[in-house]
Amino acid sequence: MAHVREAPTEDTVIVSHNPATGERIGEVNVFSGDDVERAVADARNAQKAWSALSFKERRRHLLRFRQVIVDRTDEICLRISQENGKTLQEALMCEVLPTVDLLTYFAKRAEKLLSPKKISLHLFKQRASYIHYAPRGVVGIISPWNFPFAIPMGEAIMALLAGNAVVLKPSEVTPLIALFAKELYLESGMPPDLFQVVTGRGQTGQALIESGIDMMFFTGSVRTGKRVAQECGARLIPCVTELGGKAPAIVCKDADLERTANALIWGGFANSGQVCASVERVYVPESIHDRLLEKVVQKTQSLRQGKPDSHNTDVGAICFERQLSVAEDLIGDAVEHGALIRTGGRRKEGDGMFFQPTVLEGVTQDMRIAHEEIFGPVLPFVKVKNIQEAIRHANDSHLGLIAYVFTQDRVKGRGLAEQIESGTVMVNDVLATYGMPETPWQGVKESGVGFVHTDDGLRNMCQSRHVHYDRLMSLKKEPWWYPYSESRFNLLKKFMNLLFLLYED
Ligand code: NAD
């Protein structure tokens, strides 16, 4: 019988299993509200000394952390694979490499990006204004299980470089990886209390929001995200939410079908489809539909699914039992309403949690599978009359994280991309921009509010504070100060009229 990750019954302990084998691989404590408060207080204490260091010193510390990550890459990949079920190559390519690259990118630039920024004043030329960036204090991170290393560590590294402390509440499905990240962090000689990991379930996350943190980065489902945003709103804590996705892929008649087919299977099946950016619906015009579908089916059937910790496996395990049922339910509903399973379609028998890479033909926009997040290795094909219909369907969603367009015409590709309601649109490629730290990762609609990464993302780890002064340090009274009078009123009015005259088009 297939292994099902047990729902832990103990309130105080979470047991973690290898999803590919069912083997128990460890357990962690559930942090209570008091534990979380203590962790936040310790982090806040450590942050004082950390924020007093120069950028160069902070950079030196974090580059040592980078070195430990690089030195222990093989072990990190193996541990990610064992707890999360992704393949070794995915652990390297989608977790370790982007984290190391992000650290390098921001370590090089943090000092410049966070140095005071001058604002030129258009009227008051003798005055000066500037923004300076002060660390927020303690940044809270609540993260999901699908990228248990790259998502929280990318955010943590940016927060630390900016001078903050970090308290991370990892997913209860993959807590061991977060604790291993803390081990690597300690090994690098970073200040121990500055980065805290508080393991637990939703209640521990809730306690983190209530603990007096200064900012929250939440990544997870729309349902929890709305709740977290509400809780943060009640405390006026800035909150970035990175939520679900339902990425459409729009294939134009002039697309290179070979590249498109390769991109679709990687975009649909990498990480066993458990990516917020996974291709979740494919819109194809009638004239190329069958040719593309056949290619995709054939390529899907050649994928090797199995032991994630083997270098010769393409598709690994499903990390979280719930996703098996979600995929079965949505496929079942689609088939009931006329869709055809062209390959795959069910969980694999035997040990571990695996779902066969699946291609569905004949999906229509009114089916649940065209709207609800699958988060599993399923590619639903929807035939469309033309590209405008594809755009309408793509936008017919409550989510808007990322979308894909396939065409060989650069101008058309950009034109179509701009018509899609989505935080990011990639042309002729899939998934990859999360790993590019200078580009924004952001959702529109219910895919979230705010963004991570980018130079502005680093600045957002700080309070931006405004300082304004008179360059000549004039001690004269300003004309708009007391006492008011009619003559002063008329003088100000003349001044205003003159201004508008000067600035007339
Ligand atoms: P989830 O919402 O169930 O859990 C996410 C985190 O929230 C976990 O750590 C969980 O313990 C915590 N949590 C649960 N209830 C809470 C509460 N009341 N208060 C505070 N914290 C609470 O999501 P999941 O199943 O772990 O992740 C899958 C979802 O995440 C998918 O919808 C996927 O699309 C989304 N996701 C989005 C992105 C993105 O960048 N947009 C990236 C990865 C995953």
Side-chain angles (χ1 to χ4, degrees):
M1 210 188 92
H3 163 72
V4 170
R5 192 184 281 272
E6 294 169 6
T9 46
E10 283 273 346
D11 283 347
T12 51
V13 166
I14 293 172
V15 178
S16 188
H17 292 96
N18 180 332
T21 61
E23 182 195 353
R24 179 188 171 113
I25 52 175
E27 61 178 53
V28 302
N29 291 331
V30 171
F31 276 60
S32 67
D34 286 348
D35 297 335
V36 172
E37 262 185 35
R38 264 192 300 277
V40 172
D42 290 348
R44 194 172 293 290
N45 255 337
Q47 191 263 343
K48 291 189 190 97
W50 177 248
S51 63
L53 295 180
S54 68
F55 279 108
K56 281 189 181 53
E57 284 169 305
R58 294 211 289 260
R59 181 169 60 213
R60 209 171 41 241
H61 276 286
L62 277 149
L63 289 178
R64 279 205 296 266
F65 183 35
R66 180 183 70 166
Q67 192 57 49
V68 175
I69 297 175
V70 170
D71 290 346
R72 298 187 59 184
T73 293
D74 287 338
E75 194 184 349
I76 303 172
C77 291
L78 188 61
R79 293 221 192 189
I80 292 175
S81 178
Q82 282 170 345
E83 193 177 33
N84 169 275
K86 68 184 60 179
T87 63
L88 290 175
Q89 185 167 325
E90 286 163 357
L92 176 65
M93 193 169 59
C94 311
E95 301 254 24
V96 180
L97 197 155
T99 306
V100 170
D101 181 52
L102 174 142
L103 197 162
T104 309
Y105 177 82
F106 286 111
K108 270 190 200 158
R109 289 165 181 77
E111 183 166 8
K112 186 159 172 243
L113 293 174
L114 297 180
S115 56
K117 197 166 97 186
K118 191 177 149 199
I119 301 174
S120 311
L121 301 171
H122 77 286
L123 280 186
F124 299 91
K125 295 296 180 194
Q126 84 286 7
R127 307 285 195 92
S129 260
Y130 66 90
I131 303 283
H132 71 110
Y133 299 95
R136 288 188 184 267
V138 180
V139 168
I141 297 174
I142 298 180
S143 57
W145 43 264
N146 64 331
F147 289 96
F149 189 79
I151 289 179
M153 293 319 290
E155 289 163 3
I157 286 162
M158 289 178 73
L160 291 169
L161 271 167
N164 300 288
V166 171
V167 181
L168 162 64
K169 206 300 280 173
S171 168
E172 57 273 43
V173 183
T174 51
L176 297 180
I177 297 167
L179 290 176
F180 185 54
K182 172 80 193 234
E183 217 177 292
L184 303 173
Y185 169 93
L186 290 176
E187 188 182 316
S188 72
M190 288 282 293
D193 285 344
L194 189 69
F195 172 49
Q196 305 272 344
V197 178
V198 294
T199 45
R201 305 185 183 84
Q203 276 182 342
T204 306
Q206 171 74 28
L208 180 57
I209 300 168
E210 290 166 358
S211 66
I213 52 164
D214 302 290
M215 183 167 198
M216 168 54 66
F217 284 86
F218 173 82
T219 308
S221 62
V222 173
R223 211 173 97 171
T224 316
K226 284 183 179 173
R227 195 163 160 189
V228 166
Q230 253 176 9
E231 297 288 343
C232 289
R235 291 164 183 81
L236 291 178
I237 306 168
C239 174
V240 171
T241 47
E242 297 287 349
L243 311 177
K246 186 73 194 165
I250 295 179
V251 187
C252 298
K253 283 184 205 161
D254 68 347
D256 180 297
L257 293 193
E258 185 62 18
R259 180 170 173 91
T260 305
N262 285 327
L264 290 177
I265 61 165
W266 191 65
F269 305 141
N271 218 34
S272 281
Q274 303 163 109
V275 186
C276 50
S278 289
V279 178
E280 291 237 350
R281 44 205 176 117
V282 186
Y283 296 110
V284 198
E286 287 162 352
S287 59
I288 55 162
H289 176 274
D290 292 356
R291 268 186 298 150
L292 180 65
L293 179 67
E294 291 317 318
K295 265 187 191 295
V296 168
V297 169
Q298 195 194 7
K299 286 174 187 293
T300 301
Q301 286 167 342
S302 72
L303 294 173
R304 300 158 301 173
Q305 185 172 40
K307 281 175 61 143
D309 56 0
S310 149
H311 283 294
N312 298 319
T313 296
D314 299 316
V315 182
I318 292 288
C319 181
F320 190 26
E321 199 276 336
R322 183 189 64 193
Q323 298 317 129
L324 293 170
S325 321
V326 171
E328 279 171 345
D329 176 36
L330 290 174
I331 291 171
D333 181 77
V335 169
E336 203 175 300
H337 290 89
L340 195 66
I341 298 173
R342 288 298 309 273
T343 187
R346 60 168 100 118
R347 59 176 90 192
K348 270 179 72 176
E349 295 300 323
D351 284 341
M353 301 189 286
F354 291 88
F355 201 90
Q356 298 170 334
T358 299
V359 181
L360 292 181
E361 182 183 354
V363 170
T364 53
Q365 189 63 16
D366 53 357
M367 293 179 186
R368 281 175 54 213
I369 204 164
H371 296 274
E372 295 176 28
E373 192 179 38
I374 311 167
F375 227 55
V378 184
L379 277 178
F381 268 64
V382 182
K383 207 185 264 186
V384 291
K385 288 196 189 64
N386 51 46
I387 291 301
Q388 282 318 314
E389 186 184 12
I391 299 270
R392 269 200 311 280
H393 286 341
N395 289 340
D396 173 26
S397 173
H398 66 294
L399 299 171
L401 182 63
I402 192 162
Y404 308 111
V405 171
F406 292 89
T407 171
Q408 291 190 63
D409 180 335
R410 194 184 309 150
V411 175
K412 181 163 82 181
R414 297 213 312 242
L416 292 174
E418 288 177 22
Q419 293 179 51
I420 303 175
E421 296 158 4
S422 178
T424 294
V425 180
M426 294 179 77
V427 180
N428 293 333
D429 200 355
V430 288
L431 308 184
T433 62
Y434 185 85
M436 302 171 188
E438 56 279 76
T439 67
W441 190 254
Q442 56 188 6
V444 299
K445 300 179 172 176
E446 292 197 12
S447 286
V449 176
F451 61 95
V452 290
H453 300 168
T454 75
D455 297 351
D456 281 338
L458 185 73
R459 294 191 187 104
N460 196 32
M461 295 286 181
C462 295
Q463 285 178 345
S464 56
R465 298 179 182 167
H466 177 201
V467 176
H468 180 84
Y469 63 97
D470 188 311
R471 277 192 280 218
L472 306 175
M473 296 305 275
S474 160
L475 299 178
K476 277 196 305 199
K477 208 163 90 172
E478 298 299 341
W480 51 85
W481 290 359
Y482 296 134
Y484 298 154
S485 68
E486 190 176 357
S487 62
R488 191 62 64 82
F489 179 90
N490 288 330
L491 191 71
L492 282 170
K493 204 164 88 177
K494 264 193 200 142
F495 176 65
M496 183 184 84
N497 289 338
L498 186 69
L499 270 181
F500 279 106
L501 213 66
L502 284 176
Y503 286 93
E504 216 171 22
D505 265 351

